[in-house]
Amino acid sequence: MYEILQKIIKHPQKVQVDEIALILSKEEINVKLFALADEIRQRYLGKTVYIRGIIEFSNYCKNSCLYCGIRAQNKDISRYRMSVEQIIERARLVSQMGIKTVVLQSGEDTHYSDKIIAQIIEKIKEFKVAITLSIGERDFNEYKLWKEAGADRYLMRHETADEELYSKLHPNDSFRTRVEHLKKLRELGYEVGVGSMVGLPGQDDLSLAKDISFVRDFDADMVGIGPFIPHPSTPLRDAQPGTLTKTLKMIALTRLFLPDTNIPATTALGTIHPLGRQLALKCGANVIMPNFTPAPYRSLYTLYPNKICIFESDTACGECTKELIRSAGYTASDDFGYRRKFYERVTCRF
Ligand code: SAH
């Protein structure tokens, strides 16, 4: 197994999915894997952690993803949409706190036309921040319009690279379509973020290994990995959640394969374990995304239950995140947080 880790470092393209699955299945390699991921992260990116303020501006969604609490069929939640003015005001607050990326996330809500989104982007750009859109699959010409309006990044997780599982979880959608969208976004010049859930029902170590090989081959600029958490108002309500250890292993492996990519310590990880995000930082993650959604909307963006930070005050998450980074032994960066791409591998002592 140690040889496989060395192969990942030296010849990542040659590593097979069954070798990745073996690492995922064995517990005795964990300590080594985590230490190696932190070493690689520090060699490439130092101790800095990028902060991105996220605004969840609408929980309307036309999709039916089996795992998601804001799926169209869920009648148990109140739906909200923030106005253009409200969104811009929140973005101003993010920038006033010295945070230089605004992430705009929502369900798949076509109420916001291509032109409205473009208008929001143009206004927010006046605050001199980078903008990440995370609003799901839209038309290719809309992606183009938004890029021209000033959007910098697009975050659209691939969810699972196991094609069969993808089809089961996403009625009327396919993994292939998702990849076509991701490729288009890259072609248009976005930094592209992907990512997946860990512990989905029907997902085994081989499925997870496919996620790792997908992010390697796609050379993703950001990879968000979080545990699946069953939501009581979805068809997967009785399923088991993903575990802390397996999620940390996925983060660490991603760091070994893509030493210079951006990896967030996700809110979902902080939800299943009180130190989930701190541990993620120690296993290769280098980004945190504090919540800037205002009350009363924040508690309604329930992708999964018991989400942390729901009852925090307006800007508390920005401050709290900085403290979290310090307490984990890292340094909060006030940079825009673009991927700093390395074209050659840096040697490491392992
Ligand atoms: N509509 C946007 C944003 C989706 S929500 C898009 O399609 O990209 C953001 C992410 O939350 C999803 O990509 C999914 O990976 C995650 N998510 C949704 N439901 C979840 C659950 N029950 N447990 C853990 N993560 C979940």
Side-chain angles (χ1 to χ4, degrees):
M1 253 181 317
Y2 189 57
E3 286 73 48
I4 301 177
L5 290 186
Q6 283 177 325
K7 187 171 168 189
I8 298 174
I9 307 274
K10 295 205 175 97
H11 307 288
Q13 301 302 332
K14 292 191 183 158
V15 180
Q16 307 291 320
V17 280
D18 54 347
E19 292 175 305
I20 304 171
L22 187 69
I23 300 281
L24 284 166
S25 69
K26 302 281 186 209
E27 296 301 314
E28 57 272 28
I29 195 74
N30 294 1
V31 172
K32 192 92 192 154
L33 171 64
F34 297 151
L36 188 50
D38 192 41
E39 157 139 11
I40 297 271
R41 172 257 216 281
Q42 293 200 33
R43 288 275 162 127
Y44 282 78
L45 310 170
K47 284 197 165 245
T48 55
V49 177
Y50 298 135
I51 303 178
R52 326 237 200 251
I54 182 165
I55 305 168
E56 301 149 332
F57 65 90
S58 161
N59 69 353
Y60 278 85
C61 191
K62 63 181 172 58
N63 283 356
S64 316
C65 308
L66 263 62
Y67 45 82
C68 187
I70 63 168
R71 66 201 301 269
Q73 290 77 5
N74 183 6
K75 304 285 180 246
D76 301 336
I77 54 166
S78 325
R79 302 277 173 175
Y80 71 89
R81 287 189 175 110
M82 286 170 62
S83 68
V84 171
E85 292 71 30
Q86 283 176 316
I87 298 169
I88 293 164
E89 271 321 297
R90 292 312 286 189
R92 185 199 303 278
L93 199 63
V94 173
S95 78
Q96 281 170 349
M97 290 194 73
I99 296 173
K100 294 223 191 64
T101 294
V102 172
V103 181
L104 298 175
Q105 191 176 86
S106 68
E108 295 212 3
D109 183 6
T110 44
H111 169 85
Y112 297 87
S113 68
D114 51 355
K115 291 194 183 53
I116 292 178
I117 297 284
Q119 188 195 339
I120 296 170
I121 294 166
E122 278 164 13
K123 284 267 190 259
I124 293 179
K125 271 312 226 186
E126 291 174 13
F127 306 140
K128 306 265 178 293
V129 290
I131 298 181
T132 305
L133 296 176
S134 178
I135 59 180
E137 292 177 14
R138 299 275 294 237
D139 289 345
F140 287 1
N141 50 13
E142 297 186 299
Y143 297 148
K144 184 161 181 286
L145 179 77
W146 301 333
K147 186 78 192 59
E148 286 162 1
D152 302 273
R153 311 185 186 123
Y154 209 100
L155 175 58
M156 188 155 64
R157 288 184 171 184
H158 67 279
E159 312 297 3
T160 170
D162 180 328
E163 292 193 34
E164 217 180 293
L165 183 59
Y166 192 100
S167 300
K168 281 188 195 148
L169 296 172
H170 305 97
N172 314 318
D173 206 353
S174 71
F175 180 64
R176 269 180 208 194
T177 307
R178 177 104 336 184
V179 174
E180 273 169 30
H181 281 253
L182 293 168
K183 284 187 176 156
K184 185 66 194 180
L185 288 162
R186 162 145 308 159
E187 192 188 305
L188 288 168
Y190 284 92
E191 274 202 341
V192 182
V194 302
S196 54
M197 279 168 286
V198 178
L200 289 161
Q203 188 183 45
D204 54 18
D205 287 335
L206 201 59
S207 310
L208 290 170
K210 287 182 190 162
D211 287 318
I212 301 284
S213 101
F214 171 73
V215 302
R216 171 194 64 190
D217 297 343
F218 187 71
D219 191 21
D221 302 309
M222 171 153 164
V223 186
I225 300 168
F228 157 69
I229 305 173
H231 189 292
S233 306
T234 64
L236 301 182
R237 62 181 72 83
D238 296 324
Q240 289 300 309
T243 65
L244 173 73
T245 305
K246 194 71 96 181
T247 309
L248 292 175
K249 290 185 80 168
M250 288 292 287
I251 289 172
L253 277 166
T254 302
R255 175 57 67 211
L256 300 198
F257 277 101
L258 294 175
D260 59 8
T261 198
N262 284 323
I263 305 178
T266 53
T267 307
L269 203 47
T271 297
I272 62 158
H273 190 283
L275 291 175
R277 289 177 299 172
Q278 288 87 329
L279 291 167
L281 292 180
K282 291 180 192 290
C283 293
N286 70 315
V287 174
I288 294 212
M289 294 164 66
N291 193 332
F292 275 85
T293 311
Y297 309 124
R298 193 182 287 200
S299 61
L300 302 174
Y301 197 78
T302 43
L303 307 169
Y304 47 81
N306 307 319
K307 196 165 153 213
I308 48 169
C309 312
I310 290 288
F311 302 108
E312 302 290 331
S313 78
D314 259 357
T315 51
C317 289
E319 289 306 331
C320 172
T321 299
K322 289 179 190 166
E323 187 46 42
L324 185 156
I325 294 167
R326 261 194 301 274
S327 70
Y330 296 85
T331 318
S333 163
D334 55 7
D335 196 45
F336 288 100
Y338 291 98
R339 179 184 188 188
R340 281 191 286 150
K341 198 153 159 84
F342 285 64
Y343 291 92
E344 278 182 26
R345 293 213 148 216
V346 175
T347 50
C348 107
R349 78 187 148 81
F350 279 85

